[in-house]
Amino acid sequence: QDGPQRKKRKSEVAEVDKQLDILAIGTAVGSILLYSTVKGELQSKLDGGHDNRVNCVRWHQDNCCLYSCSEDKHIVEWNTQTCKVKCKWKGDNSSVTCLCISPDGKMLLSAGRTIKLWDLETKEVYRHFTGHATSVSSLMFTTVKPMNESKPFDGITGLYFLSGAIHDRLLSVWYIRSDRKEKNAVMSFAVTDEPIFVDLTVSEVKEEPVKLAVVCRDGQLHLFEHILNGYCKKPLTSNCTIQIATPGNDGDSTPKPVPILAAAFCTDKQSLLLVYGNTSQPIIEKVSLNSSESHICLVRDIQKVLSLKTEAALTKVKTPVANSDTKVLVPGIPGHSAAVKTPASGKEKKKNKRKPGETEESIEERLGALDIDVSKVKTPDGLPQTDSFAVLLVQGLESNDAEILNKVLNTKKENIVKNTVARMPVHAVIPLLHELTKRLQGNPYSASLMVRWLKSVFTLHASYLSTLPDLIPQLGMLYQLMESRVKTLQKLSRLHGRLFILVTQVAASEAVQDVPEVNQTAKLVYEDESSEEEGSEDEMIADKDSDENWDEDEEKEEQSDEQDMTVEKEINGDSDLEPENESEEE
């Protein structure tokens, strides 16, 4: 049974080699690009699987099959020939960061923080492992066959695999048992810093040790060699540590460390390919591992290797040797009258030195000596120019300095605001929006100033903002703030209208009251003497008449009173019963 399986695997590898020119690249948007390295062009694009950043892509042994995981918690199986999703399922409750396919291609390891082993036929979880406290960054199988060969092999039970996580200084080794009990790591490898690149030689025979090369974030390479044979309590330390440093010659006596970026074992398993130096111009070197030393420091002068091209380019430029006696004519501004001064000699330099007690010339005087118009240099109102405003704004945002931010953001001039926003770098746009959101929640006066900045940011940097995948959560606070403010706008406008009518009516009534009244008294009265005498006689007659009338009125009133009394008595029946009283009254 063993023979045909092995042959089949070799034929699969040969088929894969034919398609090794296809490179799968996951993007931050969620799509996957298939790039042909032979043709040097994009072959196809896989869309519709993820709606967030792709964290890991893995080719299956089958040519047309590709697996990917994303921040959207899902794992997707792709058919690369049709460029369509074959299957999609939820991999974890949080983002899935790493994938690894088993040697036989029937199982899949996925990891966020916990590690899961999936059956690719049923898409169900086969085993659970505790994993790491942080997101897993690397997963790989360390064995192809189980160490205990007495039991029949089902393709996965008895295999070991390795995992590393960000900010974790331990690489854990896990063992896949037949039962579900063992969920913890069986052993671990200790490194000096977070692992950024891991490569290993897979052990195919029972006695063959696993060789492990781990590149850490501090630029060191750790080599481990260990036979995986069950549980080990203490973390294993490295057999050899490799570092690279500069020789420390050419003026700089102290050697400087050169970071190792990646390392990979060659096919003979006795030599390593090292990648070190700068990420934009890496140097790749083959190193043999015959040494038995625990610490190796390789001395490499990377400056000479990297600066060969630049030196060759610079030698083509010839600089003329200028004589002190020759007069050099320099093209200048039209109408520029200042003579071009030759470089000062040693004697003149000594004269320029200030003596103690002398006052230093001001910058204005120096500019005057250079025949430059000082008024042109100074800006109106003594304000800094908009480019310096942009620099100040970026500095304030980076250092979170309230004083600088207040100085810049409290400007009222529309022109300065627009120019500052236009000149600021793109990376400072989101921090500026966060700062503006914070200030919008404060004083209404400051909010009115911040709105001007917001308007300029949205109009000038709309194209950049639209490319950000996580824009909605970043601007959520601002959006809610604006919505809550706008809700009251209708009510406020109604209130404003009513108050406006009231105020205008009150003002109109006050304006009417303030009008001066017309004086209706006669300015000139003309009276004759005859009219005065007649008037006095008439008054006398009127007085007499009134006196006589007064007497008559009194008599009439008395008579009417008597009549009333008699009528009352008659009504009450007094006149019939008491004749005596009648006579008395008569």
Side-chain angles (χ1 to χ4, degrees):
Q1 284 184 358
D2 231 2
Q5 275 191 347
R6 189 156 190 162
K7 279 181 185 175
K8 189 181 176 185
R9 193 177 297 123
K10 280 185 178 176
S11 64
E12 281 176 358
V13 171
E15 284 174 16
V16 171
D17 285 340
K18 290 177 187 175
Q19 298 233 339
L20 272 179
D21 66 304
I22 303 296
L23 183 68
I25 307 164
T27 63
V29 187
S31 57
I32 296 167
L33 309 175
L34 297 180
Y35 186 85
S36 172
T37 53
V38 174
K39 295 176 185 174
E41 60 184 26
L42 197 66
Q43 184 169 301
S44 52
K45 188 178 179 182
L46 308 178
D47 271 326
H50 299 291
D51 53 7
N52 209 329
R53 184 163 70 94
V54 177
N55 288 326
C56 185
V57 284
R58 286 280 179 268
W59 286 103
H60 194 265
Q61 283 87 327
D62 175 16
N63 288 337
C64 307
C65 195
L66 181 76
Y67 289 91
S68 64
C69 64
S70 167
E71 292 281 325
D72 63 3
K73 309 173 188 176
H74 286 81
I75 301 168
V76 176
E77 183 181 352
W78 299 89
N79 185 342
T80 54
Q81 284 187 335
T82 58
C83 295
K84 288 182 180 176
V85 176
K86 269 172 88 174
C87 185
K88 180 178 178 179
W89 71 96
K90 189 174 179 181
D92 209 330
N93 291 329
S94 58
S95 62
V96 186
T97 54
C98 204
L99 296 175
C100 182
I101 295 161
S102 65
D104 65 346
K106 292 179 181 177
M107 295 281 181
L108 175 76
L109 279 171
S110 78
R113 289 181 182 176
T114 58
I115 302 169
K116 293 177 183 177
L117 182 65
W118 300 86
D119 187 344
L120 286 176
E121 283 184 17
T122 59
K123 306 292 186 290
E124 290 178 355
V125 178
Y126 182 72
R127 291 283 184 275
H128 266 287
F129 300 94
T130 48
H132 296 259
T134 53
S135 300
V136 175
S137 57
S138 54
L139 276 175
M140 50 186 70
F141 278 90
T142 55
T143 50
V144 176
K145 288 182 178 180
M147 296 301 164
N148 188 2
E149 291 176 355
S150 59
K151 293 179 182 178
F153 181 47
D154 61 353
I156 194 72
T157 306
L159 296 188
Y160 289 88
F161 69 90
L162 182 94
S163 71
I166 57 170
H167 310 306
D168 197 341
R169 294 184 182 183
L170 288 176
L171 283 161
S172 302
V173 179
W174 312 81
Y175 181 58
I176 301 165
R177 292 178 178 271
S178 54
D179 55 355
R180 291 171 177 263
K181 290 178 183 176
E182 188 61 58
K183 290 185 177 182
N184 297 326
V186 291
M187 66 181 76
S188 57
F189 298 104
V191 289
T192 53
D193 204 346
E194 174 194 331
I196 57 168
F197 194 92
V198 181
D199 191 51
L200 51 83
T201 63
V202 178
S203 66
E204 296 181 359
V205 191
K206 186 181 178 182
E207 291 80 19
E208 186 185 0
V210 171
K211 288 186 177 180
L212 186 68
V214 184
V215 178
C216 297
R217 194 167 288 282
D218 58 4
Q220 294 186 52
L221 169 65
H222 300 279
L223 298 173
F224 298 88
E225 197 170 329
H226 188 76
I227 297 169
L228 302 174
N229 54 2
Y231 187 75
C232 182
K233 193 175 181 180
K234 288 185 178 179
L236 302 167
T237 54
S238 61
N239 296 10
C240 180
T241 303
I242 298 175
Q243 282 181 294
I244 300 176
T246 56
N249 301 335
D250 303 329
D252 191 6
S253 57
T254 54
K256 291 181 180 176
V258 178
I260 300 172
L261 307 174
F265 286 100
C266 298
T267 48
D268 61 353
K269 298 186 182 180
Q270 296 301 318
S271 51
L272 265 176
L273 277 177
L274 293 182
V275 182
Y276 59 90
N278 192 359
T279 47
S280 59
Q281 284 183 311
I283 301 161
I284 301 172
E285 186 183 336
K286 191 174 181 179
V287 180
S288 60
L289 300 172
N290 300 327
S291 175
S292 59
E293 292 179 25
S294 61
H295 196 103
I296 301 168
C297 184
L298 304 172
V299 178
R300 300 286 183 270
D301 192 358
I302 60 164
Q303 291 300 323
K304 284 184 180 176
V305 180
L306 295 176
S307 60
L308 280 173
K309 287 182 183 177
T310 51
E311 279 179 4
L314 285 171
T315 51
K316 292 176 185 177
V317 182
K318 293 181 180 179
T319 51
V321 181
N323 190 2
S324 58
D325 299 332
T326 56
K327 187 181 180 182
V328 183
L329 298 173
V330 183
I333 307 157
H336 190 67
S337 58
V340 178
K341 293 175 183 177
T342 53
S345 61
K347 290 178 182 177
E348 285 176 341
K349 279 182 184 174
K350 283 178 184 176
K351 286 179 185 176
N352 286 341
K353 284 184 180 177
R354 265 195 304 137
K355 292 175 184 176
E358 277 186 4
T359 55
E360 193 180 353
E361 286 183 341
S362 67
I363 294 170
E364 196 168 340
E365 287 169 356
R366 289 180 191 176
L367 291 175
L370 291 169
D371 197 23
I372 295 171
D373 191 2
V374 182
S375 61
K376 288 178 184 175
V377 176
K378 288 182 180 177
T379 52
D381 305 330
L383 286 168
Q385 293 175 341
T386 46
D387 51 354
S388 62
F389 253 114
V391 173
L392 273 175
L393 182 59
V394 173
Q395 286 176 353
L397 290 169
E398 285 176 356
S399 62
N400 207 5
D401 192 334
E403 195 175 337
I404 295 174
L405 289 171
N406 287 337
K407 186 180 178 182
V408 177
L409 294 175
N410 287 340
T411 51
K412 296 177 185 177
K413 292 189 177 180
E414 291 276 347
N415 199 22
I416 290 176
V417 171
K418 281 182 184 175
N419 290 339
T420 306
V421 172
R423 282 185 171 90
M424 69 184 288
V426 178
H427 65 81
V429 172
I430 291 293
L432 175 61
L433 283 175
H434 289 321
E435 182 63 32
L436 292 175
T437 307
K438 202 190 298 177
R439 286 167 180 261
L440 272 169
Q441 297 168 10
N443 192 3
Y445 173 72
S446 69
S448 65
L449 291 174
M450 295 312 114
V451 168
R452 296 178 186 178
W453 285 91
L454 270 178
K455 185 182 175 184
S456 298
V457 169
F458 286 138
T459 49
L460 293 166
H461 294 288
S463 56
Y464 164 68
L465 289 169
S466 61
T467 60
L468 297 175
D470 56 344
L471 182 66
I472 295 168
Q474 285 195 342
L475 295 186
M477 185 79 170
L478 179 63
Y479 184 73
Q480 288 171 5
L481 192 68
M482 287 163 74
E483 273 210 331
S484 62
R485 293 270 175 107
V486 171
K487 270 182 186 174
T488 56
L489 180 64
Q490 197 174 2
K491 293 177 183 175
L492 283 172
S493 57
R494 283 180 186 170
L495 180 64
H496 177 263
R498 288 173 184 170
L499 288 172
F500 181 73
I501 291 167
L502 277 171
V503 169
T504 47
Q505 285 180 352
V506 169
S509 63
E510 283 178 356
V512 170
Q513 286 175 7
D514 290 345
V515 174
E517 294 181 3
V518 181
N519 190 7
Q520 295 181 352
T521 54
K523 289 183 179 178
L524 180 65
V525 181
Y526 179 74
E527 294 178 352
D528 289 332
E529 290 178 7
S530 57
S531 63
E532 278 182 11
E533 288 171 3
E534 286 171 6
S536 61
E537 285 175 5
D538 291 339
E539 283 171 9
M540 290 290 288
I541 294 161
D543 290 338
K544 286 178 184 176
D545 290 340
S546 62
D547 291 339
E548 290 171 3
N549 292 339
W550 178 257
D551 297 336
E552 288 174 4
D553 290 339
E554 279 182 350
E555 287 174 5
K556 284 177 182 177
E557 280 176 7
E558 285 174 3
Q559 287 175 2
S560 64
D561 288 339
E562 286 174 6
Q563 286 174 2
D564 291 338
M565 287 285 285
T566 52
V567 169
E568 280 176 10
K569 285 172 183 176
E570 283 174 3
I571 289 164
N572 296 331
D574 294 342
S575 58
D576 296 332
L577 297 170
E578 296 175 358
E580 294 172 3
N581 292 352
E582 280 181 19
S583 59
E584 279 175 11
E585 282 174 7
E586 286 172 1

